[in-house]
Amino acid sequence: QVQLQESGPGLVEPSETLSLTCTVSGDSISSNYYWGWIRQPPGKGLEWIGSIYYSGSTYYNPSLKSRVTISVDTSKNQFSLKLRSVTAADTAVYYCARAFVVVDHWGQGTLVTVSS
Amino acid sequence: QSALTQPPSASGSPGQSVTISCTGTSSDVGGYNYVSWYQQHPGKAPKLMIFEVTERPSGVPDRFSGSKSGNTASLTVSGLQAEDEADYYCSSYAGTNNFVFGTGTKVTVL
């Protein structure tokens, strides 16, 4: 059974970098799937942030591309998200997920608040 | 990339049916048979209900069904039950490792 678990700080100061890690269990991150990040601001809808293949190939949402980096660590079966220069508008629940033409497994989500 | 368009709300009485639309473009919904639907209860992660337009994952009741015509996909929930009250989001594969989500529909069971 595939499980994903997000981890990282729940509070980030404005202009700093948001960093989250997703640990995958029940599947190899080197399998034929993409591994992605999705966020949901409080009371709002879902937004695809971007994804990575185990080889390192990435896709980023054009609206966030200048601030986002997604990386993978196959030795730890983990992938990570970095979002730079955050503002209050980046406050959201961040989900990690597994995808291949469908996002079929999600983490439980972690709330990240941007505030001083 | 723009979010797929869904109605903000839909409702029905127990036992009735409700249909939610999801409108995109030829670059997403109309271009691929990879439309998915998710159910989200408050404070929970989205749950996959329909994938590849019409397919149900194991364990999803057959009261949930999907369809697509052109750039618009639809989710129908038949025989509404109290536990179906939730937010529903559509999603479409948009090529090259990219997905787009709908604006979300709140379904109320009257």
Side-chain angles (χ1 to χ4, degrees), chain A residues 10 14 18 22 30 52 67 74 76 83-84 87 91:
Chain A
L18 180 160
C22 182
S30 300
I52 191 166
R67 299 193 290 132
T74 55
K76 295 181 179 179
L83 180 65
R84 297 175 291 278
T87 69
T91 293

Side-chain angles (χ1 to χ4, degrees), chain A residues 71-85:
Chain A
S71 58
V72 64
D73 186 337
T74 55
S75 67
K76 295 181 179 179
N77 224 39
Q78 295 176 334
F79 62 105
S80 298
L81 168 71
K82 291 189 184 300
L83 180 65
R84 297 175 291 278
S85 304

Side-chain angles (χ1 to χ4, degrees), chain A residues 11-17 84-88 90 113-116:
Chain A
L11 181 64
V12 181
E13 293 197 356
S15 80
E16 298 297 312
T17 297
R84 297 175 291 278
S85 304
V86 297
T87 69
D90 294 311
T113 301
V114 178
S115 175
S116 56

Side-chain angles (χ1 to χ4, degrees), chain A residues 2-116:
Chain A
V2 180
Q3 292 187 316
L4 300 96
Q5 179 67 59
E6 306 88 352
S7 59
L11 181 64
V12 181
E13 293 197 356
S15 80
E16 298 297 312
T17 297
L18 180 160
S19 296
L20 295 173
T21 296
C22 182
T23 301
V24 179
S25 59
D27 190 11
S28 169
I29 207 161
S30 300
S31 61
N32 193 30
Y33 287 96
Y34 294 99
W35 304 93
W37 291 95
I38 299 153
R39 70 179 183 178
Q40 184 172 34
K44 296 188 178 180
L46 300 163
E47 180 180 34
W48 181 255
I49 298 171
S51 57
I52 191 166
Y53 196 56
Y54 76 92
S55 64
S57 172
T58 54
Y59 173 87
Y60 300 132
N61 187 323
S63 68
L64 297 169
K65 186 174 183 177
S66 64
R67 299 193 290 132
V68 173
T69 300
I70 297 175
S71 58
V72 64
D73 186 337
T74 55
S75 67
K76 295 181 179 179
N77 224 39
Q78 295 176 334
F79 62 105
S80 298
L81 168 71
K82 291 189 184 300
L83 180 65
R84 297 175 291 278
S85 304
V86 297
T87 69
D90 294 311
T91 293
V93 174
Y94 285 77
Y95 296 98
C96 61
R98 187 183 82 167
F100 188 77
V101 301
V102 57
V103 182
D104 63 352
H105 284 84
W106 299 64
Q108 65 184 25
T110 187
L111 174 63
V112 179
T113 301
V114 178
S115 175
S116 56

Side-chain angles (χ1 to χ4, degrees), chain A residues 34 38 40 44-46 48 51 59 61-62 95 99 101-104 106-107, chain B residues 1 34 36 38 40 44-46 48 51-52 89 93 96-99 101 103:
Chain A
Y34 294 99
I38 299 153
Q40 184 172 34
K44 296 188 178 180
L46 300 163
W48 181 255
S51 57
Y59 173 87
N61 187 323
Y95 296 98
V101 301
V102 57
V103 182
D104 63 352
W106 299 64
Chain B
Q1 58 191 42
Y34 294 133
S36 306
Y38 300 89
Q40 187 179 36
K44 300 294 187 181
L48 180 65
F51 67 99
E52 294 180 15
Y89 293 90
Y93 182 69
T96 322
N97 203 2
N98 179 31
F99 292 85
F101 289 97
T103 50

Side-chain angles (χ1 to χ4, degrees), chain B residues 9-33:
Chain B
S9 62
S11 62
S13 299
Q16 291 186 331
S17 295
V18 65
T19 297
I20 304 166
S21 62
C22 169
T23 301
T25 70
S26 58
S27 296
D28 37 64
V29 175
Y32 304 92
N33 286 322

Side-chain angles (χ1 to χ4, degrees), chain B residues 62-74:
Chain B
D62 60 6
R63 302 185 292 103
F64 292 84
S65 62
S67 63
K68 191 187 88 166
S69 178
N71 295 338
T72 298
S74 298

